[in-house]
Amino acid sequence: MALVGVVIGSKSDANMIQPALDMLQQLGIAYELSVISGHRNPETLREYGLKAEGRGFEVIIAAAGGAAHLPGIMASWTTLPVIGIPLPSSELDGIDALLSIAQMPAGVPVACVGIGTSGAKNAALLAAQILGTKHGEIAEAYRKYKTKLAEG
Ligand code: RP5
């Protein structure tokens, strides 16, 4: 069963979040990838958020570019932790998405990583850290990753 729900705002975002998917796979974390636009499919996004916990997800990663309302709206429909990835798909190269995701009004947090592929990789690692507080095998996989990282 997938522990992480990964949602992107457009099919065109797929390449940019591939590092997140690769890292989740490397750490042995099952995920499900969905394409749901915050502004083109608002009802689908609502339903996804409301059902996410019941479907067994424990963390949601939401990636979008432009005004990037997807992670924030997702967070409004679920109590699961939401990690937002700002994508550089617009004329502003992701600065717009970064500010939109990071500057959530108080009360509805979204954990915002950096812009683009580095952020995508870090989103998966952050998800692993969150899941590791409950799942010993994920904590162990993350520890091994950190050990290798130190070796250079
Ligand atoms: C965002 O706008 C998407 O995440 C994508 O990065 C960008 C373009 O999407 P569409 O033109 O497919 O709506 O919402």
Side-chain angles (χ1 to χ4, degrees), residues 8-13 16 37-40 63-70 87 89-90:
I8 55 179
S10 173
K11 280 182 197 162
S12 60
D13 294 332
M16 289 179 280
S37 167
H39 54 279
R40 288 186 282 107
H69 34 268
L70 175 65
L87 298 179
S89 61
S90 74

Side-chain angles (χ1 to χ4, degrees), residues 11 19 22-23 41 49 55 67 80 82 87-88 92 99-100 106 108 110-111 114 116 129-130 140 148 152:
K11 280 182 197 162
D22 292 343
M23 185 52 65
N41 317 115
R55 295 181 56 212
L80 294 176
V82 176
L87 298 179
L92 298 184
L99 296 177
S100 178
V108 183
V110 171
Q129 288 176 295
I130 295 168
E140 188 50 33
K148 276 202 162 182

Side-chain angles (χ1 to χ4, degrees), residues 49-50 52-53 57-60 74-82 108-109:
L50 288 173
E53 193 171 356
F57 295 145
E58 297 183 9
V59 175
I60 294 175
M74 180 69 81
S76 77
W77 289 117
T78 181
T79 55
L80 294 176
V82 176
V108 183

Side-chain angles (χ1 to χ4, degrees), residues 18-144:
Q18 192 57 44
L21 308 183
D22 292 343
M23 185 52 65
L24 289 171
Q25 191 173 13
Q26 187 183 322
L27 295 170
I29 301 171
Y31 66 85
E32 181 191 282
L33 176 64
S34 306
V35 182
I36 308 172
S37 167
H39 54 279
R40 288 186 282 107
N41 317 115
E43 278 298 339
T44 310
L45 183 57
R46 172 181 175 272
E47 199 182 342
Y48 184 101
L50 288 173
K51 290 185 176 164
E53 193 171 356
R55 295 181 56 212
F57 295 145
E58 297 183 9
V59 175
I60 294 175
I61 293 175
H69 34 268
L70 175 65
I73 296 173
M74 180 69 81
S76 77
W77 289 117
T78 181
T79 55
L80 294 176
V82 176
I83 302 170
I85 309 173
L87 298 179
S89 61
S90 74
E91 292 81 356
L92 298 184
D93 283 335
I95 296 292
D96 41 2
L98 174 70
L99 296 177
S100 178
I101 296 171
Q103 292 299 122
M104 280 295 290
V108 183
V110 171
C112 182
V113 293
I115 297 170
T117 50
S118 296
K121 186 172 181 177
N122 280 345
L125 292 168
L126 181 54
Q129 288 176 295
I130 295 168
L131 293 167
T133 61
K134 176 178 169 190
H135 301 274
E137 72 285 1
I138 295 175
E140 188 50 33
Y142 182 71
R143 257 192 295 275
K144 280 185 183 157

